[in-house]
Short mmCIF file of all heavy atoms in Angstrom, two decimals:
data_model
loop_
_atom_site.label_atom_id
_atom_site.label_comp_id
_atom_site.label_asym_id
_atom_site.label_seq_id
_atom_site.Cartn_x
_atom_site.Cartn_y
_atom_site.Cartn_z
N ASN A 7 -15.19 -9.91 5.94
CA ASN A 7 -15.63 -8.68 5.28
C ASN A 7 -17.05 -8.92 4.76
O ASN A 7 -17.29 -9.88 4.03
CB ASN A 7 -14.71 -8.33 4.10
CG ASN A 7 -13.28 -8.11 4.54
OD1 ASN A 7 -12.38 -8.84 4.16
ND2 ASN A 7 -13.07 -7.10 5.35
N THR A 8 -17.99 -8.09 5.18
CA THR A 8 -19.36 -8.27 4.69
C THR A 8 -19.66 -7.19 3.67
O THR A 8 -19.13 -6.08 3.75
CB THR A 8 -20.40 -8.17 5.83
OG1 THR A 8 -20.50 -6.80 6.24
CG2 THR A 8 -20.00 -9.03 7.02
N GLU A 11 -21.65 -5.61 -2.31
CA GLU A 11 -20.96 -4.82 -3.34
C GLU A 11 -19.53 -5.33 -3.56
O GLU A 11 -18.97 -5.20 -4.64
CB GLU A 11 -20.97 -3.32 -2.98
CG GLU A 11 -20.09 -2.88 -1.81
CD GLU A 11 -20.74 -3.09 -0.44
OE1 GLU A 11 -21.76 -3.81 -0.36
OE2 GLU A 11 -20.22 -2.55 0.55
N LEU A 12 -18.95 -5.96 -2.53
CA LEU A 12 -17.59 -6.50 -2.68
C LEU A 12 -17.62 -7.74 -3.58
O LEU A 12 -16.73 -7.95 -4.40
CB LEU A 12 -17.01 -6.88 -1.31
CG LEU A 12 -16.95 -5.76 -0.26
CD1 LEU A 12 -16.58 -6.33 1.09
CD2 LEU A 12 -15.95 -4.70 -0.67
N VAL A 17 -16.91 -2.75 -5.50
CA VAL A 17 -16.00 -2.08 -4.56
C VAL A 17 -14.84 -3.04 -4.28
O VAL A 17 -15.06 -4.23 -4.07
CB VAL A 17 -16.74 -1.74 -3.23
CG1 VAL A 17 -15.78 -1.24 -2.17
CG2 VAL A 17 -17.83 -0.72 -3.47
N LEU A 18 -13.64 -2.50 -4.33
CA LEU A 18 -12.45 -3.33 -4.04
C LEU A 18 -12.33 -3.51 -2.53
O LEU A 18 -12.45 -2.53 -1.77
CB LEU A 18 -11.20 -2.64 -4.60
CG LEU A 18 -9.88 -3.35 -4.36
CD1 LEU A 18 -9.82 -4.67 -5.12
CD2 LEU A 18 -8.72 -2.46 -4.77
N ASN A 19 -12.10 -4.74 -2.11
CA ASN A 19 -12.01 -5.02 -0.67
C ASN A 19 -10.66 -4.54 -0.12
O ASN A 19 -9.75 -5.32 0.11
CB ASN A 19 -12.18 -6.53 -0.45
CG ASN A 19 -12.19 -6.88 1.02
OD1 ASN A 19 -12.06 -6.01 1.88
ND2 ASN A 19 -12.35 -8.15 1.31
N THR A 20 -10.57 -3.25 0.09
CA THR A 20 -9.29 -2.71 0.59
C THR A 20 -9.10 -2.99 2.08
O THR A 20 -7.97 -2.95 2.57
CB THR A 20 -9.20 -1.19 0.35
OG1 THR A 20 -10.33 -0.57 0.97
CG2 THR A 20 -9.18 -0.85 -1.12
N HIS A 21 -10.20 -3.26 2.79
CA HIS A 21 -10.04 -3.56 4.23
C HIS A 21 -9.18 -4.79 4.44
O HIS A 21 -8.44 -4.89 5.41
CB HIS A 21 -11.39 -3.82 4.90
CG HIS A 21 -12.27 -2.62 4.96
ND1 HIS A 21 -11.80 -1.34 4.84
CD2 HIS A 21 -13.61 -2.50 5.13
CE1 HIS A 21 -12.80 -0.50 4.92
NE2 HIS A 21 -13.91 -1.16 5.09
N THR A 66 -16.17 -6.46 9.14
CA THR A 66 -16.27 -5.09 8.62
C THR A 66 -17.58 -4.95 7.86
O THR A 66 -18.01 -5.87 7.18
CB THR A 66 -15.10 -4.76 7.66
OG1 THR A 66 -15.22 -5.54 6.46
CG2 THR A 66 -13.75 -5.02 8.29
N GLY A 67 -18.18 -3.77 7.99
CA GLY A 67 -19.37 -3.44 7.22
C GLY A 67 -20.67 -3.80 7.92
O GLY A 67 -20.70 -4.55 8.90
N GLY A 68 -21.74 -3.17 7.40
CA GLY A 68 -23.08 -3.53 7.86
C GLY A 68 -23.49 -2.94 9.19
O GLY A 68 -24.42 -3.43 9.83
N LEU A 69 -22.84 -1.86 9.62
CA LEU A 69 -23.23 -1.24 10.90
C LEU A 69 -24.05 0.03 10.69
O LEU A 69 -24.43 0.69 11.64
CB LEU A 69 -21.98 -0.90 11.73
CG LEU A 69 -21.10 -2.07 12.17
CD1 LEU A 69 -19.95 -1.59 13.04
CD2 LEU A 69 -21.92 -3.10 12.95
N GLY A 70 -24.29 0.37 9.43
CA GLY A 70 -25.00 1.63 9.14
C GLY A 70 -26.49 1.54 9.40
O GLY A 70 -26.98 0.56 9.97
N PRO A 71 -27.25 2.57 8.93
CA PRO A 71 -28.68 2.66 9.26
C PRO A 71 -29.60 2.05 8.20
O PRO A 71 -30.80 2.00 8.41
CB PRO A 71 -28.89 4.18 9.32
CG PRO A 71 -27.91 4.73 8.35
CD PRO A 71 -26.75 3.78 8.28
N THR A 72 -29.07 1.62 7.06
CA THR A 72 -29.97 1.17 5.99
C THR A 72 -30.38 -0.30 6.17
O THR A 72 -29.80 -1.01 6.99
CB THR A 72 -29.32 1.37 4.60
OG1 THR A 72 -28.03 0.78 4.61
CG2 THR A 72 -29.20 2.83 4.24
N ASP A 75 -27.92 -3.08 6.36
CA ASP A 75 -26.90 -3.03 7.42
C ASP A 75 -27.41 -3.82 8.63
O ASP A 75 -28.10 -3.28 9.50
CB ASP A 75 -26.60 -1.57 7.80
CG ASP A 75 -25.95 -0.82 6.64
OD1 ASP A 75 -25.17 -1.46 5.90
OD2 ASP A 75 -26.23 0.36 6.46
N GLN A 117 -28.18 2.78 15.17
CA GLN A 117 -26.73 2.70 15.38
C GLN A 117 -26.34 2.90 16.85
O GLN A 117 -25.20 2.68 17.23
CB GLN A 117 -26.02 3.74 14.52
CG GLN A 117 -26.22 3.46 13.04
CD GLN A 117 -25.71 4.58 12.17
OE1 GLN A 117 -24.83 4.39 11.36
NE2 GLN A 117 -26.25 5.76 12.36
N LEU A 158 -16.61 -3.68 12.90
CA LEU A 158 -16.14 -2.37 12.43
C LEU A 158 -17.01 -1.87 11.27
O LEU A 158 -17.54 -2.68 10.50
CB LEU A 158 -14.68 -2.49 11.95
CG LEU A 158 -13.70 -2.89 13.04
CD1 LEU A 158 -12.36 -3.29 12.44
CD2 LEU A 158 -13.52 -1.74 14.03
N PRO A 159 -17.13 -0.55 11.11
CA PRO A 159 -17.96 -0.02 10.03
C PRO A 159 -17.30 -0.22 8.66
O PRO A 159 -16.09 -0.47 8.58
CB PRO A 159 -18.06 1.47 10.36
CG PRO A 159 -16.86 1.76 11.18
CD PRO A 159 -16.51 0.50 11.92
N GLY A 160 -18.08 -0.06 7.59
CA GLY A 160 -17.58 -0.31 6.23
C GLY A 160 -16.72 0.80 5.64
O GLY A 160 -15.66 0.53 5.09
N PRO A 161 -17.16 2.08 5.75
CA PRO A 161 -16.40 3.12 5.04
C PRO A 161 -14.95 3.22 5.53
O PRO A 161 -14.70 3.35 6.74
CB PRO A 161 -17.18 4.41 5.37
CG PRO A 161 -18.56 3.93 5.69
CD PRO A 161 -18.38 2.61 6.38
N PRO A 162 -13.99 3.15 4.61
CA PRO A 162 -12.58 3.17 5.02
C PRO A 162 -12.21 4.39 5.87
O PRO A 162 -11.41 4.28 6.79
CB PRO A 162 -11.83 3.19 3.68
CG PRO A 162 -12.77 2.55 2.71
CD PRO A 162 -14.15 2.92 3.16
P1 ATP B 501 -22.79 2.91 6.23
O1 ATP B 501 -23.19 3.76 7.37
O2 ATP B 501 -22.08 3.70 5.17
O3 ATP B 501 -23.89 2.04 5.69
P2 ATP B 501 -21.64 0.40 7.14
O4 ATP B 501 -20.83 0.12 8.33
O5 ATP B 501 -23.01 -0.19 7.11
O6 ATP B 501 -21.66 1.95 6.85
P3 ATP B 501 -21.31 -0.76 4.56
O7 ATP B 501 -22.70 -0.27 4.23
O8 ATP B 501 -21.08 -2.21 4.62
O9 ATP B 501 -20.83 -0.14 5.92
O10 ATP B 501 -20.24 -0.10 3.58
C1 ATP B 501 -20.27 1.29 3.34
C2 ATP B 501 -19.30 1.61 2.23
O11 ATP B 501 -17.98 1.38 2.69
C3 ATP B 501 -19.41 0.73 0.98
O12 ATP B 501 -20.32 1.17 0.02
C4 ATP B 501 -18.01 0.78 0.44
O13 ATP B 501 -17.85 1.94 -0.35
C5 ATP B 501 -17.16 0.88 1.68
N1 ATP B 501 -16.68 -0.45 2.04
C6 ATP B 501 -17.32 -1.40 2.74
N2 ATP B 501 -16.57 -2.50 2.89
C7 ATP B 501 -15.41 -2.25 2.27
C8 ATP B 501 -14.21 -2.99 2.06
N3 ATP B 501 -14.06 -4.22 2.53
N4 ATP B 501 -13.21 -2.40 1.37
C9 ATP B 501 -13.36 -1.16 0.89
N5 ATP B 501 -14.46 -0.40 1.04
C10 ATP B 501 -15.47 -0.93 1.72
#
Side-chain angles (χ1 to χ4, degrees):
N7 300 116
T8 73
E11 71 278 14
L12 303 170
V17 172
L18 179 67
N19 184 359
T20 56
H21 293 340
T66 68
L69 297 183
T72 52
D75 294 325
Q117 296 172 119
L158 297 167

